[in-house]
Amino acid sequence: MDTAVVDELLTTTRAVRKRLDLERGVPDSVVMDCLRLAIQAPTGSNMQGWRWMVVKDPGKREALADLYRRAFYDYRDMMAAAMPDRAADPGAQRIRDSAEFLADNLHRVPIHVVPCILGRPGAMDNITGAGLYGSIVPAVWSFQLALRSRGLGSAYTTLHLTYENDAAEILEIPDSVTQVALIPVAYTQGTDFKPAPRRPIEKITYLDLWRRPFPPTS
Amino acid sequence: MDTAVVDELLTTTRAVRKRLDLERGVPDSVVMDCLRLAIQAPTGSNMQGWRWMVVKDPGKREALADLYRRAFYDYRDMMAAAMPDRAADPGAQRIRDSAEFLADNLHRVPIHVVPCILGRPGAMDNITGAGLYGSIVPAVWSFQLALRSRGLGSAYTTLHLTYENDAAEILEIPDSVTQVALIPVAYTQGTDFKPAPRRPIEKITYLDLWRRPFPPTS
């Protein structure tokens, strides 16, 4: 497999917020193609319990955006109080600006995708919902990778889940179903995305025991 | 971007169990390259709370495999009792055979990767841990995609989490850290993997309201 293409895909699929093209429509066929690729991801016990809500109706996008915005400003205030050092960090500030832009403009993003999974955390599976999320988040990320390969951008967001019940009412999602995220989808303004700055992998990878360096230092 | 390569990647990265090459070692550098790609995935608020445990020690792999096997046989019996129709389905039977093979041979897989995330579900984030898992599962899936592009295979498993505390003791993982999965990693026997059979995407995608068809039927 052409690893140059793979590596570019995996390193340049960023959370896109400010560079979403809010004026350009997204054809249904593009969304469907990317969802078709997405559901090739594995699910636990091959249950395929995923369901995909594509939200195009302006009134419903407005209503979801209202929930999102409310959760965003609550979260921002909470984080600022909890982590004042982080609030002063310029990198964090850039992300906050970008996140604020999305919160203020989410209703203008042409497509919202709400990935859902049948069941509620803790019902059928172990403890924390690890099995439930592990059975849909790979597909969601594949969806975002597929979008990227076709010139679209997206962002994985979970803020609206603070008001999951209200969102369920808006979309008529049954109580037995778990919403996993809200993915704004649009074409991007340009496609020249760069890899993200990251801590060196050697600092956060351990061999056999917590904090034991990998690769082993000789 | 070359969508043929992307589409092949996204449609042929399967959960590999029986076709893991148990005799061939995996160089540290390959694991590191794939982890380096993995952590280009986004995380909520760019927290990058991921930590990656690479387990190579035979005794520790044996101990993790023991926990996994115990959870597997409990889970299999529970599922057989809960869903007898499914137990008779040939497709489900094939997956069960493959899963049983992994349970019986996990200790022989040369590398176990246990992705971890700082924090516990429900502490900092909303409700169900959606934010927590959403901040690491994309990276785990990117890791698996990167492995695939280099001729390796893996499987996303969560069974050992039934005994997460025991696994934490084996690996000396602190209480404040959440284990997310256990990913067996090895070269594959051949690389000719096929797309998985799936329900048509049109049956599981809805427009604006639960169960409303998308694309809209005209």
Side-chain angles (χ1 to χ4, degrees):
Chain A
M1 209 172 282
D2 186 340
T3 56
V5 175
V6 172
D7 294 5
E8 186 193 353
L9 178 74
L10 298 181
T11 59
T12 65
T13 304
R14 309 290 302 274
V16 184
R17 292 171 286 235
K18 279 191 171 172
R19 288 178 63 188
L20 295 172
D21 187 338
L22 303 177
E23 309 304 326
R24 183 170 170 197
V26 177
D28 291 349
S29 61
V30 172
V31 177
M32 284 310 252
D33 286 347
C34 293
L35 286 175
R36 202 173 285 115
L37 290 165
I39 64 165
Q40 285 289 322
T43 54
S45 304
N46 196 30
M47 295 290 280
Q48 303 177 45
W50 41 44
R51 298 292 181 274
W52 304 86
M53 299 286 314
V54 176
V55 185
K56 295 176 66 178
D57 178 73
K60 292 199 184 296
R61 282 185 287 132
E62 186 92 43
L64 291 177
D66 284 347
L67 300 178
Y68 186 93
R69 196 178 311 110
R70 210 188 322 161
F72 172 78
Y73 284 103
D74 288 350
Y75 178 75
R76 195 185 62 167
D77 295 347
M78 188 269 284
M79 287 290 277
M83 305 175 84
D85 291 355
R86 193 175 155 78
D89 175 72
Q93 180 61 44
R94 236 186 349 266
I95 293 166
R96 221 158 33 240
D97 285 351
S98 166
E100 185 169 323
F101 176 86
L102 182 63
D104 292 339
N105 290 280
L106 182 57
H107 58 289
R108 299 175 59 206
V109 180
I111 308 253
H112 299 178
V113 172
V114 179
C116 298
I117 187 159
L118 306 183
R120 298 294 307 179
M124 269 290 282
D125 53 76
N126 308 326
I127 355 170
T128 51
L132 198 76
Y133 293 105
S135 287
I136 183 157
V137 179
V140 176
W141 181 231
S142 274
F143 176 61
Q144 297 184 262
L145 293 167
L147 289 168
R148 162 69 176 142
S149 72
R150 280 141 174 92
L152 290 87
S154 63
Y156 192 106
T157 81
T158 57
L159 276 169
H160 88 287
L161 297 176
T162 311
Y163 303 107
E164 184 180 0
N165 291 341
D166 302 83
E169 251 176 65
I170 293 164
L171 305 175
E172 299 185 3
I173 297 171
D175 288 346
S176 57
V177 172
T178 302
Q179 297 171 54
V180 173
L182 190 164
I183 315 288
V185 173
Y187 280 96
T188 52
Q189 296 170 322
T191 57
D192 56 322
F193 292 91
K194 293 195 183 61
R198 290 286 185 251
R199 291 182 61 191
I201 188 68
E202 292 79 6
K203 300 275 185 197
I204 55 171
T205 305
Y206 308 139
L207 175 63
D208 294 327
L209 291 174
W210 188 255
R211 295 210 176 286
R212 188 170 163 203
F214 178 81
T217 46
S218 47
Chain B
M1 209 172 281
D2 186 339
T3 55
V5 175
V6 172
D7 294 5
E8 187 193 352
L9 178 74
L10 297 181
T11 59
T12 65
T13 304
R14 309 289 302 274
V16 184
R17 293 171 287 236
K18 279 190 170 171
R19 288 178 62 187
L20 295 172
D21 187 337
L22 303 177
E23 309 304 326
R24 184 170 169 196
V26 176
D28 291 349
S29 60
V30 172
V31 177
M32 285 310 254
D33 286 347
C34 293
L35 286 176
R36 202 173 285 115
L37 291 166
I39 64 166
Q40 286 288 323
T43 54
S45 303
N46 195 30
M47 296 290 280
Q48 303 178 45
W50 41 44
R51 297 294 182 274
W52 305 86
M53 298 286 313
V54 176
V55 184
K56 295 175 67 178
D57 177 72
K60 294 204 182 291
R61 283 185 286 132
E62 185 92 43
L64 291 177
D66 284 347
L67 301 178
Y68 186 93
R69 196 179 311 111
R70 212 191 316 164
F72 172 77
Y73 284 103
D74 287 350
Y75 178 75
R76 195 185 63 166
D77 295 348
M78 187 268 284
M79 287 290 276
M83 307 176 83
D85 291 356
R86 192 175 156 79
D89 175 72
Q93 179 61 45
R94 238 187 344 267
I95 293 165
R96 220 156 36 238
D97 286 351
S98 166
E100 185 170 323
F101 176 86
L102 182 63
D104 293 339
N105 290 281
L106 181 58
H107 57 290
R108 298 175 60 206
V109 180
I111 307 255
H112 298 179
V113 172
V114 178
C116 298
I117 187 159
L118 306 184
R120 298 294 306 179
M124 271 289 284
D125 52 77
N126 307 324
I127 356 168
T128 52
L132 198 76
Y133 292 106
S135 287
I136 182 158
V137 179
V140 177
W141 182 231
S142 274
F143 176 60
Q144 296 184 262
L145 293 167
L147 289 168
R148 163 68 176 142
S149 73
R150 280 139 173 94
L152 290 88
S154 64
Y156 192 107
T157 81
T158 57
L159 275 168
H160 88 286
L161 297 176
T162 311
Y163 303 107
E164 184 179 0
N165 290 340
D166 302 84
E169 250 177 65
I170 294 163
L171 305 175
E172 298 184 4
I173 297 171
D175 288 347
S176 56
V177 172
T178 302
Q179 297 171 54
V180 172
L182 190 164
I183 315 288
V185 173
Y187 280 95
T188 52
Q189 297 170 321
T191 56
D192 56 322
F193 292 91
K194 293 195 184 61
R198 290 286 185 250
R199 291 182 63 190
I201 188 67
E202 293 79 6
K203 300 276 186 196
I204 55 171
T205 305
Y206 307 139
L207 175 63
D208 294 327
L209 291 174
W210 189 254
R211 295 211 175 285
R212 188 169 165 207
F214 177 81
T217 47
S218 48

